[in-house]
Amino acid sequence: MNQEFAASFVLVLPETFLAVAAMALLMLGVFRGEGSARLVSWLAIAALAVTALFLPLAAPGQAAAFGGLFVTDAFAVFMKILILLGTALALVMSIDFNDREQIAQFEYPVLFLFAAVGMMVMISASDLISLYIGLELQSLSLYVVAAFRRDAVKSTEAGLKYFVLGALSSGMLLYGASLIYGFSGATGFADIAEIMIGQAGDPPLGVIFGIVFMVAALAFKVSAAPFHMWTPDVYEGAPTPVTAFFSIAPKIAATALLVRVLIDPFGPLVNQWQQVVIAVAIASMLIGAFAAINQTNIKRLMAYSSIGHIGYALVGLAAGDETGVHGVLIYMAIYLFMNVAAFGVILCMRQQGRMVERIADLSGLSVTRPGIAAALAIAMFSMAGIPPLAGFFGKFYVFQAAIAAGLYTLAVIGVLTSVVAAFYYLRIVKLMYFDEPVEAFDRPAGRTLGIVITGSSLLILLFVVYMAPVVGWAGIAAAALFGG
Amino acid sequence: MIIQALAFYLFAAVMVAAAAMVISARNPVHSVLFLILAFFNAAGLFVLMGAEFLAMILVVVYVGAVAVLFLFVVMMLDVDFAALRQGFLRYLPVGGAIGLILLAELVLVVGAWVASPEAAVGPIVPIPDPARVTNTHALGRILYTRYVFVFQGAGLVLLVAMIGAIVLTLRERVGVRRQVVADQIRRTRAESVELVDAPKRGGV
Amino acid sequence: MAEFWSGYALPGAIIVAQILVIIVPLLGAVAYLTLAERKVIAAIQLRKGPNVVGPFGLLQPIADGVKLLLKETVIPSGANPVVFVIAPMLTFMLSLIAWAAIPFDLGLVLADINVGILYLFAISSLGVYGIIMAGWASNSKYAFLGALRSAAQMVSYEVSIGFVIITVLLCVGSLNLTEIVLAQENMWFFIPLFPMFIIFFVSGLAETNRSPFDLPEGESEIVAGYFVEYSSMSFALFFLGEYANMILVSAMTSVLFLGGWLPPFDVAPFTWIPGPIWFAGKIGLCLFVFLWVRATMPRYRYDQLMRLGWKVFLPFSLFWVVLTAGVLMATGWVPR
């Protein structure tokens, strides 16, 4: 026991380090008092970077810790690096914003770190118990940051809505988990998988109910339709960098969790859950494409866009095989950078010291701020899936997987909705390049923000150049999930 | 054994009745008091099952701390129940339909209940003999070894909840003069008392 | 039928008799504690105290009891009658049922349960309900304020009591009260755990709403707090409950820190005195300190009370738990 126990602690070293760092920063903030937000933020970013360094050290291959509560494998490392990157970028984008909006408090980066710890636990969870703990740690931190601008009605509304619906989805998750436990007698993914293999032909009804409940709950967390109704309100109400964070890291983590739950313990039951995932994917793609058309607020537009993107990612999952998961991983990696670029630009939207959020405010941006306009245009083209930008390849891999798995209808619907979605992405480009300029945005936007926007736009633009290693790495990660 | 059976039916009946009263009592404070009664009887059922540690923790944590705060809030809120029930009839069909669907699902699930042969793997951690190991020891042994990871994770969840509550509600008031005990104790007689010779009819 | 008599009726009767053996002397002690309080405080204040009813005023508690019994119970018209009546009964009952787990000597205990100390902790944490219910059901501002104060105070101090109990049971390795006493055969715990002993006793003062933490009553600000509307026997039940709780906290202090029924030294003249007498003596000592504190200390202000509980006792007892656990692990003194 002791040997294995000690080894377990090595495996969770990244999570432990990040949690301890968060607590240390909390103490630092408390004792330094007011005005320590900027320092704590940069230290938090440093902590995230160090954690990323620990990841490959702690996890040389596939290994389980604490009797199977926690696993590390290439899939987990890949997803965790995306999470750490997303959290760090969201924090970088927050620093200046929070200072200007006077909500700079040291608890903000600390909560981000705790959310990151929760997401890492989610990604590595291989037991229903650790899954729930990770999910709650992440969600609870997010509820708080959503309401962080506590004097604004919209922000508190966002926090409250997110909290109530999140709590509902956690309840559904627990209901599903208890049904699964009741019918299989195990909480560990490996044990459940073993039992499910024996019953793949005729699984107990309770387990199917349990899976449906868990998928519904996780669909809440990734904001897939028809469980998406909280997304636009929360995205609109939360402070913009928080929205950026919401649209990146928690989605990636919840997607990873969904993939692991469906592939690991319930892989043998793929015929049972495939139809649910297909239905959710189609609904998300349709909602994402059609509901976004009429939006006038850029943050609401991004909310619907993210619903649509989750739909495309789920197309890959619906295939239920290694190619499908490979597609999901590539899609999520690309999605991360597209959203960072888009939200970086949204954070630049300030007129006379106030944030503006209307899409119409972007009119003629190419004249007043050509650099920012170019960056947003790249992000929008990529999201619309125009080759040779990154977004095209994301869609390409998931649709390819769907076709390979024989899901032609799904692939066709996916392509059609991308065309519809392209309409509103391109409308923004048209606004920026062909409409009369309105009032210019304030400058300077901030050097860190500029670096983030430039960097992510370049990554999207030059995806073809470095495509091979990313695709290869995602392939290794996807293979790790099917390795057993 | 008869006494145990009687005790079981007593606790179970009171618990179910109290639970029913929680949702049907008109006065919210009464609801909370019935909730406490239900907790208490649940603790009694735990004792009957030989899980005395869980029973006591249930009383200490839920009845002694959580329900007190509940009661506090309910007493202070002064909920207007007439207003709360206004939409009752309007939402009854929808709510009733959802309830019926859930009921039907539960019936289906329970009806299809077959303990699969593979499910009989038994508990992952062997249950120690209750005659030799008290269940406090037994719980401690797995909570701090096998489940230490989720135990600490749950601790983090609570920490985040605490930070969140403070961040969202604490407002520093300016101009509040706080008591500094150290300053009060450090004060010497020489600093605070001055002897003056007051001239007659002059004042100080 | 024979089985009924030998299997159920007889054991039942024995249990009832045992309960009576505990409760009757306890109620006597409660009655005379009220007299002792008046006498001790009078002595400290250089007065005589009650000295008219009987020799040295010894019949005073009986006279008081009869007076309260004969008066009319008034239920205020705005009150919630059911809760109003249940509240004092609950308070009184809780102060009695805790005694089931207290060991008076080796083997001399009504229910020798595995989790005895948790049982006591759970019962004492329930005590707050009698007060909240009384304050709410009275439908009076003063009573409600008193109840809120009391609830906040008891919940706050329970936390540090919990940590003190954890330190003790780290040293014992059992939650059973008899084992806790037996573990003190060589050294009573108040020596190695002296700070915890003080914290426990002071928290006990707060937990029983005794001076200097008697804000829930606070007669100078909120008249009499939660029981301002109570009269006659319902008032008497609160009164008895408060004094029974004092005795209970003293008994807990004796069991946890002063070696329960054990004599101070395990040699001849001390061992001649039976255990229950030692136990009663230790309880008496603690009770005297209760009264002494009441006669000496001014009442705490509310914010000072909260500061003491959350900012002094809680961190300190938490630190001491970690320290104790660390020392036990480092020295290998961990029990079992």
Side-chain angles (χ1 to χ4, degrees):
Chain A
M1 188 71 196
N2 273 339
Q3 194 84 37
E4 189 205 328
F5 206 51
S8 296
F9 282 106
V10 178
L11 290 176
V12 296
L13 190 62
E15 283 79 5
T16 318
F17 172 78
L18 197 56
V20 171
M23 287 186 265
L25 290 178
L26 183 66
M27 295 311 280
L28 178 76
V30 169
F31 283 109
R32 276 187 49 123
E34 294 286 309
S36 51
R38 187 170 277 268
L39 174 74
V40 174
S41 292
W42 283 114
L43 286 175
I45 293 162
L48 289 166
V50 175
T51 311
L53 291 182
F54 275 133
L55 277 178
L57 280 180
Q62 185 152 16
F66 298 111
L69 282 175
F70 183 96
V71 289
T72 52
D73 49 19
F75 175 77
V77 172
F78 182 85
M79 283 309 209
K80 280 179 188 172
I81 284 180
L82 291 187
I83 295 290
L84 293 172
L85 202 60
T87 313
L89 288 174
L91 263 181
V92 170
M93 293 196 282
S94 308
I95 296 174
D96 286 335
F97 177 89
N98 285 358
D99 267 352
R100 281 191 307 240
E101 298 286 313
Q102 295 174 343
I103 52 170
Q105 280 180 291
F106 65 87
E107 287 96 343
Y108 181 91
V110 171
L111 286 169
F112 268 51
L113 290 193
F114 279 123
V117 175
M119 289 183 244
M120 289 167 76
V121 173
M122 277 160 75
I123 291 169
S124 275
S126 64
D127 190 291
L128 295 174
I129 302 173
S130 47
L131 177 162
Y132 178 68
I133 291 286
L135 195 67
E136 277 309 284
L137 183 56
Q138 174 244 27
S139 311
L140 210 54
S141 316
L142 297 186
Y143 304 147
V144 179
V145 288
F148 209 80
R149 196 189 301 179
R150 61 186 190 184
D151 295 318
V153 178
K154 275 202 169 173
S155 179
T156 39
E157 181 202 337
L160 192 63
K161 263 191 186 160
Y162 195 21
F163 173 67
V164 172
L165 290 174
L168 178 71
S169 74
S170 294
M172 282 165 46
L173 183 92
L174 284 180
Y175 188 53
S178 54
L179 279 177
I180 289 167
Y181 175 60
F183 278 84
S184 65
T187 57
F189 286 178
D191 302 329
I192 296 176
E194 215 169 283
I195 292 162
M196 289 307 138
I197 287 172
Q199 310 192 328
D202 179 29
L205 196 56
V207 170
I208 297 176
F209 268 111
I211 295 175
V212 171
F213 269 106
M214 285 190 74
V215 171
L218 291 174
F220 248 115
K221 300 288 178 192
V222 296
S223 73
F227 306 104
H228 64 283
M229 50 294 207
W230 57 273
T231 323
D233 293 339
V234 173
Y235 277 35
E236 188 191 351
T240 310
V242 173
T243 311
F245 181 53
F246 279 5
S247 71
I248 307 167
K251 287 223 167 176
I252 295 175
T255 311
L257 185 60
L258 190 58
V259 168
R260 196 189 281 280
V261 166
L262 290 181
I263 302 294
D264 240 15
F266 303 120
L269 304 186
V270 61
N271 295 327
Q272 306 291 338
W273 53 257
Q274 196 175 35
Q275 33 192 326
V276 181
V277 176
I278 291 175
V280 171
I282 292 177
S284 306
M285 291 187 295
L286 290 176
I287 296 270
F290 288 99
I293 294 177
N294 271 331
Q295 300 304 322
T296 54
N297 181 303
I298 186 94
K299 279 159 83 181
R300 287 185 86 87
L301 179 89
M302 289 306 291
Y304 283 106
S305 142
S306 81
I307 294 169
H309 283 299
I310 282 300
Y312 300 124
L314 290 183
V315 167
L317 178 60
D321 53 13
E322 197 177 319
T323 13
V325 173
H326 186 197
V328 175
L329 293 181
I330 298 172
Y331 201 97
M332 290 327 279
I334 293 168
Y335 171 80
L336 167 74
F337 289 106
M338 295 193 299
N339 261 23
V340 168
F343 274 99
V345 175
I346 293 174
L347 279 169
C348 297
M349 293 172 63
R350 311 171 53 76
Q351 289 172 347
Q352 300 174 350
R354 280 186 321 107
M355 293 301 295
V356 290
E357 292 176 355
R358 283 183 314 135
I359 297 176
D361 292 320
L362 289 167
S363 293
L365 192 64
S366 62
V367 180
T368 53
R369 302 293 295 275
I372 293 177
L376 188 57
I378 291 173
M380 289 298 141
F381 276 125
S382 172
M383 285 195 184
I386 312 283
L389 296 175
F392 166 75
F393 293 99
K395 288 203 170 94
F396 172 75
Y397 278 104
V398 288
F399 290 150
Q400 195 192 30
I403 290 168
L407 303 171
Y408 300 110
T409 331
L410 190 59
V412 170
I413 294 178
V415 173
L416 289 181
T417 51
S418 329
V419 175
V420 177
F423 164 73
Y424 61 79
Y425 291 129
L426 298 184
R427 190 172 58 127
I428 292 178
V429 178
K430 177 222 155 213
L431 262 177
M432 292 190 298
Y433 281 87
F434 302 105
D435 280 16
E436 285 301 307
V438 290
E439 199 177 341
F441 293 152
D442 295 355
R443 38 176 99 223
R447 192 189 301 158
T448 44
L449 199 55
I451 294 173
V452 169
I453 297 174
T454 320
S456 48
S457 310
L458 283 179
L459 284 174
I460 299 168
L461 198 59
L462 304 176
F463 185 70
V464 196
V465 177
Y466 63 94
M467 197 168 111
V470 171
V471 172
W473 191 21
I476 296 171
L481 208 53
F482 289 87
Chain B
M1 284 306 106
I2 274 190
I3 299 213
Q4 284 197 350
L6 281 179
F8 170 78
Y9 285 114
L10 178 74
F11 284 134
V14 175
M15 185 175 162
V16 172
M21 288 304 288
V22 171
I23 50 173
S24 60
R26 286 183 158 270
N27 189 328
V29 173
H30 289 180
S31 286
V32 179
L33 292 176
F34 278 115
L35 184 68
I36 293 159
L37 186 63
F39 280 148
F40 202 75
N41 283 286
L45 290 178
F46 271 132
V47 171
L48 282 183
M49 286 165 71
E52 72 265 2
F53 182 75
L54 280 182
M56 292 307 150
I57 290 297
L58 184 73
V59 174
V60 171
V61 175
Y62 280 88
V63 182
V66 175
V68 174
L69 299 181
F70 252 53
L71 201 55
F72 246 135
V73 173
V74 171
M75 281 178 179
M76 306 285 270
L77 274 184
D78 204 15
V79 188
D80 183 2
F81 254 60
L84 264 185
R85 298 204 173 189
Q86 252 171 14
F88 184 71
L89 275 182
R90 200 150 59 87
Y91 296 117
L92 186 64
V94 184
I98 291 176
L100 276 180
I101 292 171
L102 273 181
L103 182 70
E105 283 178 347
L106 276 178
V107 169
L108 270 179
V109 166
V110 176
W113 184 293
V114 184
S116 54
E118 290 87 348
V121 285
I124 302 158
V125 182
I127 298 172
D129 176 20
R132 284 189 299 112
V133 183
T134 65
N135 58 47
T136 317
H137 268 113
L139 274 177
R141 262 180 210 161
I142 63 164
L143 203 56
Y144 294 109
T145 55
R146 190 186 147 83
Y147 289 107
V148 67
F149 178 65
V150 281
F151 183 74
Q152 296 290 351
L156 280 185
V157 171
L158 293 180
L159 175 65
V160 168
M162 201 163 86
I163 298 172
I166 293 172
V167 167
L168 294 182
T169 57
L170 180 72
R171 287 174 199 274
E172 293 273 353
R173 280 193 297 166
V174 286
V176 179
R177 294 177 57 188
R178 295 181 185 283
Q179 180 181 20
V180 184
V181 179
D183 282 359
Q184 292 179 339
I185 295 173
R186 212 184 302 131
R187 217 158 79 127
T188 58
R189 186 171 183 278
E191 292 170 35
S192 43
V193 178
E194 190 186 359
L195 284 180
V196 274
D197 282 326
K200 251 180 200 167
R201 294 176 182 277
V204 183
Chain C
M1 205 59 197
E3 193 210 4
F4 171 76
W5 286 112
S6 65
Y8 297 108
L10 193 64
I14 291 175
I15 291 177
V16 170
Q18 284 172 331
I19 292 173
L20 286 179
V21 167
I22 293 176
I23 284 184
V24 171
L26 178 66
L27 289 182
V30 167
Y32 276 89
L33 180 58
T34 61
L35 178 70
E37 174 167 39
R38 295 167 75 176
K39 280 286 190 191
V40 168
I41 293 176
I44 290 173
Q45 295 168 346
L46 300 179
R47 297 184 283 112
K48 277 193 164 167
N51 57 356
V52 178
V53 190
F56 307 105
L58 277 178
L59 296 180
Q60 184 71 43
I62 296 166
D64 287 344
V66 170
K67 180 191 77 178
L68 285 170
L69 254 178
L70 295 181
K71 284 197 166 185
E72 183 190 351
T73 303
V74 179
I75 299 181
S77 57
N80 189 321
V82 180
V83 182
F84 187 82
V85 174
I86 288 179
M89 300 201 301
L90 186 71
T91 305
F92 184 63
M93 198 183 73
L94 287 173
S95 63
L96 293 186
I97 60 172
W99 286 87
I102 300 271
F104 296 92
D105 200 344
L106 190 59
L108 202 62
V109 48
L110 184 60
D112 192 20
I113 48 179
N114 271 339
V115 287
I117 189 67
L118 269 183
Y119 171 77
L120 290 184
F121 189 50
I123 297 296
S124 72
S125 72
L126 288 179
V128 67
Y129 282 108
I131 293 171
I132 301 191
M133 283 161 72
W136 179 77
S138 299
N139 198 13
S140 147
K141 297 263 187 314
Y142 290 126
F144 193 54
L145 277 177
L148 290 189
R149 282 185 179 190
S150 160
Q153 173 179 332
M154 290 172 83
V155 171
S156 311
Y157 280 85
E158 234 159 57
V159 183
S160 27
I161 291 194
F163 280 119
V164 174
I165 289 177
I166 288 175
T167 17
V168 171
L169 43 103
L170 277 176
C171 301
V172 179
S174 168
L175 295 157
N176 182 305
L177 290 172
T178 305
E179 303 243 347
I180 290 176
V181 172
L182 290 179
Q184 304 180 51
E185 267 181 328
N186 297 322
M187 188 193 280
W188 294 357
F189 281 149
F190 87 95
I191 299 167
L193 302 175
F194 188 70
M196 292 282 106
F197 171 61
I198 299 296
I199 288 182
F200 184 82
F201 190 77
V202 175
S203 303
L205 288 175
E207 191 77 359
T208 48
N209 295 325
R210 287 290 300 183
S211 169
F213 305 108
D214 54 350
L215 291 101
E217 290 163 39
E219 52 283 275
S220 52
E221 319 140 46
I222 50 173
V223 210
Y226 58 90
F227 54 67
V228 66
E229 301 291 347
Y230 282 86
S231 54
S232 83
M233 207 52 214
S234 53
F235 168 75
L237 287 180
F238 271 124
F239 203 67
L240 294 176
E242 183 183 330
Y243 283 83
N245 272 332
M246 277 166 67
I247 304 183
L248 180 67
V249 169
S250 305
M252 277 170 79
T253 315
S254 315
V255 168
L256 288 177
F257 292 102
L258 300 177
W261 67 80
L262 296 173
F265 302 101
D266 206 10
V267 288
F270 295 104
T271 48
W272 292 343
I273 304 173
I277 306 279
W278 278 118
F279 191 49
K282 288 168 188 173
I283 293 177
L285 189 70
C286 294
L287 284 174
F288 175 73
V289 181
F290 261 90
L291 306 181
W292 187 11
V293 167
R294 167 151 183 212
T296 317
M297 300 286 193
R299 183 179 299 141
Y300 262 58
R301 208 172 59 205
Y302 194 72
D303 61 318
Q304 294 171 329
L305 171 93
M306 285 294 148
R307 183 185 157 275
L308 184 71
W310 289 106
K311 290 190 170 175
V312 180
F313 281 1
L314 180 60
F316 187 81
S317 50
L318 198 53
F319 162 74
W320 202 269
V321 169
V322 175
L323 183 75
T324 311
V327 168
L328 288 176
M329 285 304 283
T331 52
W333 290 340
V334 184
R336 262 188 282 177

